[in-house]
Amino acid sequence: MTFQTIFKVYGEPVPKGRPRFTRQGRAYTPKKTHDYESEVATMAKAAMGTQEPLETPVAVYIYVTFPIPQSYTKKRTEACLNGSERHTKRPDLDNCVKAITDGMNGVVYLDDSQITSIHATKVYGTTAMVEVC
């Protein structure tokens, strides 16, 4: 049986931040990352409905869309939209993927160790968002 969950998270994609440490030496996730992972979890829960988290191997397809900078010329904006200019700037794609997969942890699947395949793409678009399939 194949099960597919599709959802979008609108807004600027946030990469996984490095862990921070208290003076006592305890590690914690930065607030911006924590808030984004919570938003991903909320959207994933809505998409999952009453379905329990999967216990099987999982393939994840992630499309990360960044807004085109306002400073770009019309010609460069068109190049971004038709795919001839790629998003090669920060944040790194792998850090964005980590924040998204951590947000889906316990919602779409029991643990992100179940992910056996990840297909991720980082592009420019008119609306900043992440689409997970």
Side-chain angles (χ1 to χ4, degrees):
M1 181 172 133
T2 302
F3 180 78
Q4 186 175 12
T5 298
I6 300 172
F7 64 93
K8 293 179 182 179
V9 180
Y10 290 97
E12 188 83 25
V14 177
K16 180 79 172 189
R18 294 191 183 275
R20 303 291 181 215
F21 296 90
T22 64
R23 291 185 179 169
Q24 293 79 29
R26 291 192 196 106
Y28 67 94
T29 303
K31 182 177 178 3
K32 187 174 180 181
T33 301
H34 178 70
D35 292 347
Y36 188 70
E37 289 176 358
S38 296
E39 178 68 19
V40 170
T42 300
M43 300 309 285
K45 283 177 191 170
M48 289 289 287
T50 59
Q51 175 71 31
E52 291 293 316
L54 302 171
E55 298 181 26
T56 59
V58 177
V60 180
Y61 295 83
I62 300 173
Y63 301 94
V64 182
T65 305
F66 287 93
I68 300 168
Q70 297 261 334
S71 61
Y72 281 14
T73 63
K74 287 183 182 180
K75 183 177 180 181
R76 194 165 179 195
T77 298
E78 186 59 39
C80 290
L81 291 174
N82 71 25
S84 59
E85 183 172 335
R86 299 290 185 122
H87 190 285
T88 57
K89 298 172 175 54
R90 290 189 181 275
D92 298 350
L93 180 60
D94 58 331
N95 292 336
C96 292
V97 168
K98 183 65 177 159
I100 295 161
T101 56
D102 283 355
M104 294 189 302
N105 221 6
V107 177
V108 177
Y109 39 75
L110 292 176
D111 188 69
D112 55 4
S113 64
Q114 294 170 239
I115 299 173
T116 58
S117 177
I118 296 177
H119 304 272
T121 305
K122 179 171 80 164
V123 297
Y124 281 117
T126 55
T127 304
M129 68 176 163
V130 172
E131 184 175 7
V132 179
C133 303

